[in-house]
């Protein structure tokens, strides 16, 4: 049963003195901050036509759809450590497959499924999809693809992977995206550029104001039309909002900001998203005074008394078991519940991990006898 007996002032004082670490509060800080979020800045006004057209000319390469070729291949692998004979055999196999693929009525996809050693494409008949000349494929392979006419098969091409027989099934010519088609993308680019410029201008303004008044955020916030916000007190690793950011935590708990109480440098917390902070209160790690933790001390004393009472009662019952009394008799007297747990395996959390470990530390009983054991669980029960 829970301990509800009174706890004297002497007991409280003695426990508090003996267990100071149990009542230690962590180092805490409170901060004020100004947040600059580029995504929250006003959307730039409509962009004029001339700017859109100038951006289109500047980024024309962005709006060119390159030529693409629908490609399949059959791969004959060549191990980098293969000897000359193995390399020659792989080349001969590739030449033979090339001849089979070129033969009248040949089914390239069927040959790929049967012979290709590229596990990623063989199940699809060697299909590699649409390939553009953009460096995504190794250069010898890409060069061979774009040297092969649509509807034809090229001879074995050597790469670091081995020998490739290449089939180009279709060709999609490259084309330039017209201005009107590119307009949405151009508007997005220029809007982002304008917003980023506004963000940079705003952060520059804030930093200039902070340099004039390094001990306060109010003038900078007023000029930038931003709000000074507050967070805390919080401990290391326990902040919320911007205070949960590791860079903000490092700054807030730095000796410089804790002691000087000046505004921090600009702290980036995401692209185009930053904060300026100032520590306004700092509480070192310390043992809390007794008048603050009195109820916690009382609870600890009662928990300790309850644990000791349980342990004493358990020890007495254990002594009776060792003398030969049955567990059922003792449990009936104490109004305890007895549970049989047959076939318990080592390591099983039944009924608890502590109990399971204790089961396997008890010496095996002699024939016709029982072997008692005991364990005090983490929750103070025996």
């Amino acid at each position: 049963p829970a301990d509800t007996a009174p706890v004297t002032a002497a007991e409280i004082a003695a426990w508090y003195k003996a267990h100071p670490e149990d009542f230690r509060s962590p180092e805490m800080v409170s901060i004020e901050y100004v947040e600059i979020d580029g995504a929250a800045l006003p959307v730039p006004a409509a962009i004029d036509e001339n700017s859109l057209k100038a951006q289109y000319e500047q980024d024309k390469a962005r709006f060119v759809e390159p030529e693409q070729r629908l490609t399949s291949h059959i791969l004959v692998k060549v191990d980098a450590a293969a000897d000359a004979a193995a390399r020659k055999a792989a080349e001969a196999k590739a030449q033979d497959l090339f001849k089979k693929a070129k033969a009248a009525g040949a089914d390239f996809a069927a040959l790929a499924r049967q012979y290709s050693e590229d596990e990623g494409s063989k199940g699809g008949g060697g299909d590699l999809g649409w390939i553009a000349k953009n460096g995504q494929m190794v250069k010898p392979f890409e060069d061979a693809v774009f040297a092969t006419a649509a509807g034809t098969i090229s001879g074995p091409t050597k790469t670091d992977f081995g020998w490739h027989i290449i089939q180009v099934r279709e060709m999609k010519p490259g084309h330039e995206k017209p201005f009107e088609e590119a307009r949405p993308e151009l508007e997005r680019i220029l809007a982002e550029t304008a917003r980023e410029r506004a963000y940079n201008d705003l952060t520059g303004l804030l930093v200039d104001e902070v340099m004039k008044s390094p001990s306060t955020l109010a003038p900078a916030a007023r000029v930038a039309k931003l709000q000074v916000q507050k967070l805390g007190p919080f401990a290391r690793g326990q902040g919320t909002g911007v205070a949960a950011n590791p860079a903000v935590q490092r700054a807030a708990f730095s000796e410089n900001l804790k002691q000087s109480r000046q505004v921090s440098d600009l702290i980036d917390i995401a692209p185009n998203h930053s904060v300026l902070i100032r520590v306004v209160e700092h509480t070192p790690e310390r043992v809390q005074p007794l008048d603050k933790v009195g109820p916690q001390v009382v609870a600890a004393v009662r928990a300790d008394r309850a644990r000791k009472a349980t342990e004493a009662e358990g020890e007495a019952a254990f002594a009776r078991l060792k003398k030969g009394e049955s567990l059922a008799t003792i449990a009936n007297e104490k109004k305890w519940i007895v549970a049989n747990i047959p076939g318990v395996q080592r390591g099983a959390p039944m009924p608890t991990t502590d109990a399971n470990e204790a089961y396997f530390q008890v010496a095996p009983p002699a024939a016709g006898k029982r072997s008692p054991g005991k364990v005090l669980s983490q929750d103070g029960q025996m």
Side-chain angles (χ1 to χ4, degrees):
D3 184 296
T4 57
V7 179
T8 66
E11 288 177 306
I12 292 172
W15 186 273
Y16 176 75
K17 184 178 180 180
H19 303 87
E21 294 304 313
D22 292 347
F23 308 105
R24 182 174 290 277
S25 63
E27 180 184 23
M28 308 280 279
V29 295
S30 295
I31 64 170
E32 61 179 16
Y33 68 97
V34 170
E35 182 176 9
I36 314 98
D37 185 358
L41 295 179
V43 177
I47 299 163
D48 66 88
E49 197 77 0
N50 288 337
S51 296
L52 289 170
K53 288 180 178 177
Q55 189 70 35
Y56 177 71
E57 292 300 323
Q58 179 182 320
D59 283 354
K60 221 163 190 179
R62 180 197 290 262
F63 303 109
V64 172
E65 189 73 30
E67 176 188 339
Q68 297 181 64
R69 301 196 174 201
L70 190 58
T71 307
S72 299
H73 83 140
I74 298 171
L75 172 65
V76 178
K77 285 185 179 179
V78 179
D79 193 287
D83 57 24
R87 291 173 181 272
K88 190 170 183 179
E91 183 177 5
K93 180 179 178 182
Q95 288 289 354
D96 180 59
L97 286 169
F98 174 56
K99 290 176 183 176
K100 288 180 178 178
K102 291 277 287 183
D107 185 335
F108 190 93
L111 288 171
R113 279 190 284 269
Q114 183 174 356
Y115 295 108
S116 180
E117 295 172 352
D118 175 13
E119 296 301 324
S121 68
K122 70 177 294 180
D127 180 31
L128 296 174
W130 289 97
I131 292 176
K133 200 166 190 176
N134 55 13
Q136 288 191 358
M137 295 291 182
V138 292
K139 191 173 187 306
F141 186 90
E142 185 181 87
D143 289 345
V145 168
F146 285 89
T148 303
T152 66
I153 297 169
S154 66
T157 297
K158 182 71 168 63
T159 71
D160 291 341
F161 300 100
W163 292 96
H164 306 259
I165 297 91
I166 298 169
Q167 180 191 49
V168 174
R169 288 136 55 201
E170 294 180 43
M171 185 181 79
K172 191 187 293 182
H175 72 282
E176 186 177 286
K177 188 182 290 188
F179 173 73
E180 286 303 325
E181 192 177 332
R183 179 185 289 273
E185 178 71 2
L186 291 165
E187 289 175 342
R188 184 191 63 79
I189 292 169
L190 289 179
E192 284 184 359
T193 301
R195 188 178 274 114
E196 185 172 348
R197 188 182 302 115
Y199 169 81
N200 290 333
D201 290 345
L202 186 58
T203 54
L205 176 64
L206 279 163
V207 170
D208 288 344
E209 289 299 318
V210 166
M211 290 180 69
K212 296 175 188 176
S213 306
S215 298
T216 176
L217 276 169
R222 186 166 53 250
V223 170
K225 297 180 180 177
L226 293 171
Q227 182 182 358
V228 177
Q229 303 179 72
K230 293 186 177 181
L231 277 173
F234 57 86
R236 292 179 190 268
Q238 295 180 5
T240 59
V242 299
N245 181 276
V248 173
Q249 286 258 336
R250 284 194 296 272
F253 285 94
S254 68
E255 291 303 316
N256 178 38
L257 292 192
K258 287 187 299 187
Q259 293 177 16
S260 73
R261 302 297 171 93
Q262 293 195 338
V263 178
S264 70
D265 293 333
L266 202 65
I267 303 170
D268 292 327
I269 58 178
N272 287 347
H273 193 178
S274 56
V275 292
L276 290 164
I277 74 166
R278 189 175 79 85
V279 175
V280 295
E281 186 179 350
H282 170 240
T283 306
E285 182 183 22
R286 63 194 175 95
V287 176
Q288 299 176 77
L290 180 55
D291 60 0
K292 293 281 188 183
V293 295
Q296 292 172 244
V297 178
V298 169
V301 171
R302 283 177 168 160
D304 182 62
R305 291 195 312 209
R307 182 189 63 79
K308 287 177 178 175
T310 298
E311 191 169 5
E313 189 174 20
E315 289 289 355
F318 181 64
R320 291 170 64 182
L321 282 173
K322 290 177 71 174
K323 289 179 180 178
E325 288 191 60
S326 74
L327 182 60
T329 299
I330 299 171
N332 186 57
E333 177 187 316
K334 300 285 186 179
K335 295 184 171 54
W336 293 344
I337 297 173
V338 176
N340 293 319
I341 309 176
V344 177
Q345 296 182 349
R346 185 186 292 272
M350 294 175 61
T352 67
T353 302
D354 292 337
N356 181 274
E357 186 176 342
Y359 295 162
F360 288 90
Q361 290 178 350
V362 174
K369 301 288 185 179
R370 295 182 179 182
S371 186
K374 60 176 179 160
V375 62
L376 185 67
S377 67
Q378 292 181 359
D379 61 4
Q381 297 186 32
M382 181 172 278

